[in-house]
Amino acid sequence: GAVVSQHPSRVICKSGTSVKIECRSLDFQATTMFWYRQFPKQSLMLMATSNEGSKATYEQGVEKDKFLINHASLTLSTLTVTSAHPEDSSFYICSAFKGGVSNQPQHFGDGTRLSIL
Amino acid sequence: SQQGEEDPQALSIQEGENATMNCSYKTSINNLQWYRQNSGRGLVHLILIRSNEREKHSGRLRVTLDTSKKSSSLLITASRAADTASYFCATDAAGTYKYIFGTGTRLKVLA
């Protein structure tokens, strides 16, 4: 089956640091990837839709300059949390979607737990 | 918010019992999907049911969809301790590939 790899799985860093999270589709080309944020015991909140070769589409309330998304190839999307602060601490999950095919599931990475001290 | 709602929020049952979770959503959909999430992990896809389908089975899982009521249910039969996880429904926003996730049901199966 489809496999999505997300790296790193956990990051602990100081306030003000920028953190990059990678999401790779390992066995298929992903024209569209999604980035979610999840707080403890809550649901996934869509942050942005990442499209290969074009700008990401951000959901309302998500700061574009804070959460930089790059989807430079059909197998890699990156999320950079710039100048992270403690309120950015959360569980970030990516998913990859093959695109062009309707009624298909998303394939999720294992998430990145970000802790900002 | 377009987020769907699931009930119950938490469910605790004995091993061997059946577990039923319900999901309600707000907009027209092309399909509805159920996912499972173990603590601290990503989501695993369980079942996709299209808007023109009413029921679907996969192993011990049974999903129903009632588009007139904008609701779906997930039934896990003969539950096992390993079924302990959070379960989320997700619906696609009309005309896009975006999915809106429900609030989730935390299932605990006691051995």
Side-chain angles (χ1 to χ4, degrees):
Chain A
V3 177
V4 172
S5 173
Q6 188 172 338
H7 178 81
S9 58
R10 185 172 182 107
V11 179
I12 302 173
C13 58
K14 293 181 180 179
S15 185
T17 306
S18 291
V19 178
K20 179 185 281 189
I21 303 170
E22 294 186 347
C23 180
R24 294 180 185 274
S25 57
L26 298 184
D27 59 354
F28 66 98
Q29 293 183 329
T31 56
T32 305
M33 291 184 174
F34 300 93
W35 288 96
Y36 296 87
R37 183 173 181 174
Q38 185 179 31
F39 291 103
K41 296 186 178 180
Q42 293 190 25
S43 186
L44 280 71
M45 298 303 295
L46 180 64
M47 298 175 65
T49 302
S50 174
N51 300 296
E52 187 269 335
S54 64
K55 289 184 179 180
T57 305
Y58 289 83
E59 295 301 300
Q60 192 173 8
V62 177
E63 297 177 58
K64 300 178 183 181
D65 295 331
K66 178 73 169 178
F67 300 100
L68 300 179
I69 291 173
N70 185 282
H71 194 152
S73 77
L74 284 169
T75 59
L76 174 64
S77 175
T78 60
L79 168 68
T80 301
V81 183
T82 61
S83 187
H85 289 95
E87 59 266 28
D88 298 323
S89 298
S90 191
F91 191 57
Y92 294 87
I93 309 176
C94 72
S95 70
F97 186 76
K98 289 184 179 181
V101 181
S102 62
N103 291 319
Q104 292 293 322
Q106 291 181 52
H107 305 283
F108 284 85
D110 261 348
T112 297
R113 186 160 302 285
L114 176 61
S115 300
I116 307 298
L117 305 177
Chain B
S1 168
Q2 292 185 11
Q3 188 172 45
E5 292 187 5
E6 292 180 58
D7 76 272
Q9 289 186 347
L11 180 61
S12 185
I13 59 174
Q14 294 292 324
E15 204 167 31
E17 294 181 338
N18 295 342
T20 299
M21 294 159 247
N22 302 296
C23 165
S24 61
Y25 56 92
K26 299 180 181 179
T27 63
S28 297
I29 61 172
N30 293 316
N31 67 71
L32 182 145
Q33 304 183 27
W34 283 91
Y35 289 84
R36 166 199 168 117
Q37 183 182 33
N38 286 78
S39 181
R41 302 295 297 273
L43 276 70
V44 175
H45 179 256
L46 298 177
I47 285 187
L48 181 152
I49 186 165
R50 294 179 171 79
S51 60
N52 61 353
E53 297 175 312
R54 292 296 167 257
E55 188 171 310
K56 206 161 183 179
H57 298 252
S58 176
R60 293 184 296 112
L61 306 180
R62 172 176 165 253
V63 167
T64 62
L65 178 65
D66 187 336
T67 53
S68 66
K69 295 180 180 178
K70 290 187 169 60
S71 67
S72 174
S73 68
L74 169 66
L75 168 67
I76 303 175
T77 60
S79 64
R80 305 166 182 169
D83 294 329
T84 295
S86 292
Y87 292 83
F88 294 93
C89 66
T91 53
D92 60 335
T96 77
Y97 290 134
K98 294 198 302 185
Y99 280 84
I100 307 297
F101 282 80
T103 50
T105 294
R106 294 192 304 279
L107 173 66
K108 180 180 280 189
V109 181
L110 305 171

